[in-house]
Amino acid sequence: MVVDKKKSRIPPPPTDPGIEGKRTGKDESQSPTDTSSGMSDQDDDIPIPPDNTPTVTEELNTLQRAWRWKPKPARYDPENPPKFTVWMNMLFGFAACFTVSNLYYNQAILNRIAESFQVSFEKASSVATLMQAGYASGLLLICPLGDLFPRRPFIVGLIGFTAMMWIGLCLTTSFEAFSAISFICGATTVTPQLMLPLVGDLAPAHRRASSLAIVVSGLSLGVLVARILGGIMANYTDWRNVYWFGLGVQFLVLILLYIWMPDYPSKNPDGLNYFKMMWTIVHLLFTEPLLFQASLVAFLMSAVFQSYWTTLSFLLSTPPYNYSNLVIGLFGLIGVIVIVTAPIYSRLVIDKVVPLFSAILGLTIELAGIIVGTCIGSFHVAGPVIQAITVDVGAQFTQIALRSDVYRIQPNARNRVNTAYMVMAFAGQLTGTSVGNRLYAQGGWVYSGSLGIGFIGFAIIVCLARGPRETRWFGWSGGWAIRRDDLPPRKDQNVPPTEKALEEAAGAVDDSSDTRQERQR
């Protein structure tokens, strides 16, 4: 029997509009054909297009993928890790130069800042103080994180954040906002102090000092460029152009590092507790004799360095000299000597002898120059000139030697070791500024110079109290030999003289050439 479906269809039972309205959420007063709201029941049958708007989670995942993406030259291959070349070393030096410059652009233009914001000179000088205070905070609180995070995204992220905040310094018209942003930028401008331990990780032991010297020279050049360029640009153009220049070079550094800086894994992939990590800095300082010795010497040297350059302007601006600010500022060009000679000296001397010998040699040079400068500086300009040269040269040579030495301590904690060393050095700068100015006010140039003689003399005693191979706090066990014990064997004598000279000059002979020469033997 065939049933006609059309005839057998049973109509649905009638429904109460009120009940149906309550169930569907529609207003009872609206009929199925009511179009007062611009909608009808027929609209329910229209398919709703899918919502293609990305969710917050999808946007975060996209940003994470973009952040984690790396150009091919920067990708890490554990089977063939990237080698530390001289060009990578130069890139780190360039980055250190134009990031540390952030701290010193304002020092030459504080008077222009005061005029622009209509504040007193004393209040304007707080900008430089806040920038340095931020840098000290970053040294203590941010730098240790280099032992926890992978260095590439950490360094690139800090530079990117600083550059974005730097835009505020270029645009703001509020002195309070300008001061606050200066503090923040000072705190995040610690990337050079992250690169130095990284160079200590990557450079071969027998080339560590010369590799560090290139980055240290970049730091010295950055200070010089910032002070000179800031003064010149502010003299002939608007002072804001100095900050626009700083913004441009920061983005240039960011792009170069993003393309060429290799990605290295975290030194502590299992993670570290931040507060325990901070306590480790204090623990290392008082349980590692080498770190304590080097940090104490760094404290004394930094105090002498800062005391000299702080009181020099007082000496040269008064009789018998009466030099202008321009002439006094030109004394800063003496730092070019250090920039040029530090890598060469490190390659020829520090890389070949125990670091303690290089440190004592640098301190001796500095002590001799301070004695000459203190004795004749009050009446002859040769005194401060000789002292400026020897203080710069001796301090940098000693610093490079000490850094290369302390980076042998606990490779997985090099950033914390560097933090302990730099905090002591920064404390020395504060001490040198306050004590040096106080002594100069009491007894003039001879008094402040005597502080330098006493501090450097004590630093030499600290070096002599513990030998280069001593494991205890005092003594000279392990021998008096000045040649390093970890130098690689001499290269094949059949290497052409020209090639050997190029290798010595560049300091970047890769391991593949060494392996090839070993096979030739």
Side-chain angles (χ1 to χ4, degrees):
M1 178 177 178
V2 179
V3 179
D4 189 352
K5 295 181 180 180
K6 295 181 180 179
K7 294 180 180 180
S8 63
R9 181 177 298 167
I10 301 174
T15 58
D16 189 333
I19 298 175
E20 182 68 14
K22 294 178 182 178
R23 187 172 67 246
T24 60
K26 297 178 181 178
D27 190 0
E28 296 180 12
S29 62
Q30 287 184 351
S31 65
T33 58
D34 185 11
T35 59
S36 61
S37 63
M39 297 290 293
S40 66
D41 285 350
Q42 294 178 352
D43 294 334
D44 294 339
D45 298 333
I46 300 175
I48 299 176
D51 187 5
N52 295 323
T53 304
T55 64
V56 175
T57 304
E58 291 174 343
E59 290 179 349
L60 290 176
N61 291 336
T62 302
L63 290 175
Q64 289 178 356
R65 285 194 296 269
W67 178 249
R68 292 174 181 173
W69 181 85
K70 306 170 191 65
K72 188 174 180 180
R75 295 172 189 171
Y76 182 79
D77 182 3
E79 298 181 357
N80 185 26
K83 296 177 181 178
F84 185 72
T85 63
V86 66
W87 305 114
M88 189 185 301
N89 202 173
M90 296 294 291
L91 173 61
F92 289 170
F94 178 83
C97 172
F98 287 107
T99 50
V100 79
S101 296
N102 294 347
L103 303 173
Y104 300 98
Y105 288 125
N106 55 41
Q107 292 187 355
I109 59 174
L110 290 175
N111 59 327
R112 299 290 302 275
I113 292 176
E115 295 172 0
S116 178
F117 289 107
Q118 296 182 354
V119 296
S120 65
F121 289 156
E122 182 179 2
K123 191 172 183 179
S125 65
S126 65
V127 172
T129 303
L130 285 170
M131 185 76 83
Q132 294 295 328
Y135 182 67
S137 301
L139 282 176
L140 182 61
L141 302 177
I142 297 178
C143 282
L145 295 174
D147 287 335
L148 178 61
F149 300 137
R151 266 72 59 85
R152 172 189 158 86
F154 188 37
I155 291 174
V156 172
L158 279 176
I159 295 175
F161 176 82
T162 306
M164 296 304 296
M165 294 297 298
W166 197 264
I167 297 176
L169 297 178
C170 299
L171 298 175
T172 184
T173 58
S174 168
F175 182 77
E176 289 72 18
F178 190 87
S179 301
I181 297 173
S182 295
F183 178 85
I184 296 172
C185 290
T188 54
T189 306
V190 292
T191 47
Q193 298 303 328
L194 294 169
M195 290 178 179
L196 286 166
L198 179 59
V199 172
D201 286 341
L202 305 179
H206 62 283
R207 291 202 302 270
R208 182 175 294 151
S210 54
S211 301
L212 288 171
I214 291 177
V215 182
V216 171
S217 294
L219 290 173
S220 301
L221 181 61
V223 176
L224 185 65
V225 167
R227 287 172 174 167
I228 295 178
L229 190 63
I232 292 175
M233 293 184 69
N235 188 54
Y236 294 102
T237 66
D238 184 71
W239 66 270
R240 296 270 188 180
N241 292 334
V242 179
Y243 282 86
W244 285 112
F245 173 83
L247 179 66
V249 293
Q250 284 182 82
F251 276 109
L252 176 60
V253 169
L254 178 66
I255 294 171
L256 293 176
L257 291 179
Y258 185 78
I259 295 176
W260 299 109
M261 183 178 181
D263 185 33
Y264 298 96
S266 171
K267 300 174 68 175
N268 294 277
D270 297 332
L272 293 169
N273 181 281
Y274 181 77
F275 298 101
K276 290 183 178 179
M277 185 170 60
M278 298 301 295
W279 169 249
T280 306
I281 298 172
V282 181
H283 184 264
L284 284 169
L285 190 60
F286 291 100
T287 57
E288 293 288 346
L290 174 58
L291 179 59
F292 182 82
Q293 180 188 34
S295 299
L296 182 55
V297 173
F299 172 90
L300 297 168
M301 281 195 313
S302 299
V304 173
F305 182 88
Q306 198 69 17
S307 172
Y308 169 75
W309 285 104
T310 302
T311 57
L312 179 66
S313 59
F314 301 149
L315 173 70
L316 298 181
S317 61
T318 56
Y321 303 110
N322 295 320
Y323 290 159
S324 65
N325 290 335
L326 177 61
V327 176
I328 296 174
L330 291 177
F331 269 70
L333 295 176
I334 294 175
V336 175
I337 298 175
V338 177
I339 297 170
V340 174
T341 59
I344 300 173
Y345 175 83
S346 300
R347 180 60 179 163
L348 297 178
V349 179
I350 303 179
D351 275 340
K352 300 183 184 303
V353 300
V354 292
L356 183 62
F357 174 80
S358 299
I360 295 174
L361 181 59
L363 290 171
T364 304
I365 294 172
E366 188 171 354
L367 179 61
I370 295 175
I371 292 174
V372 173
T374 302
C375 292
I376 68 174
S378 299
F379 56 88
H380 199 289
V381 72
V385 170
I386 293 173
Q387 187 168 345
I389 295 173
T390 54
V391 165
D392 270 9
V393 170
Q396 290 297 340
F397 289 175
T398 305
Q399 292 268 17
I400 294 169
L402 294 177
R403 281 183 182 274
S404 66
D405 206 13
V406 298
Y407 286 160
R408 298 187 293 111
I409 302 171
Q410 296 193 22
N412 288 340
R414 278 200 176 113
N415 285 277
R416 282 166 283 172
V417 168
N418 186 72
T419 297
Y421 180 88
M422 285 304 302
V423 167
M424 288 288 288
F426 194 83
Q429 293 181 17
L430 297 178
T431 302
T433 301
S434 59
V435 177
N437 289 340
R438 180 72 174 173
L439 289 175
Y440 189 91
Q442 292 181 349
W445 182 252
V446 175
Y447 272 37
S448 61
S450 300
L451 171 70
I453 295 173
F455 273 20
I456 296 301
F458 182 55
I460 294 176
I461 294 174
V462 172
C463 289
L464 294 175
R466 185 177 177 277
R469 299 173 182 85
E470 180 61 68
T471 57
R472 298 170 299 178
W473 288 89
F474 300 98
W476 276 76
S477 63
W480 293 71
I482 64 173
R483 182 174 174 81
R484 291 175 51 180
D485 302 325
D486 57 348
L487 292 177
R490 294 181 181 274
K491 295 181 175 63
D492 190 3
Q493 299 298 324
N494 295 326
V495 176
T498 304
E499 181 180 347
K500 188 179 296 186
L502 291 174
E503 291 175 353
E504 288 291 332
V509 183
D510 57 26
D511 295 333
S512 61
S513 64
D514 292 338
T515 305
R516 183 173 63 253
Q517 294 170 7
E518 289 292 335
R519 287 199 298 264
Q520 291 176 355
R521 291 180 184 178

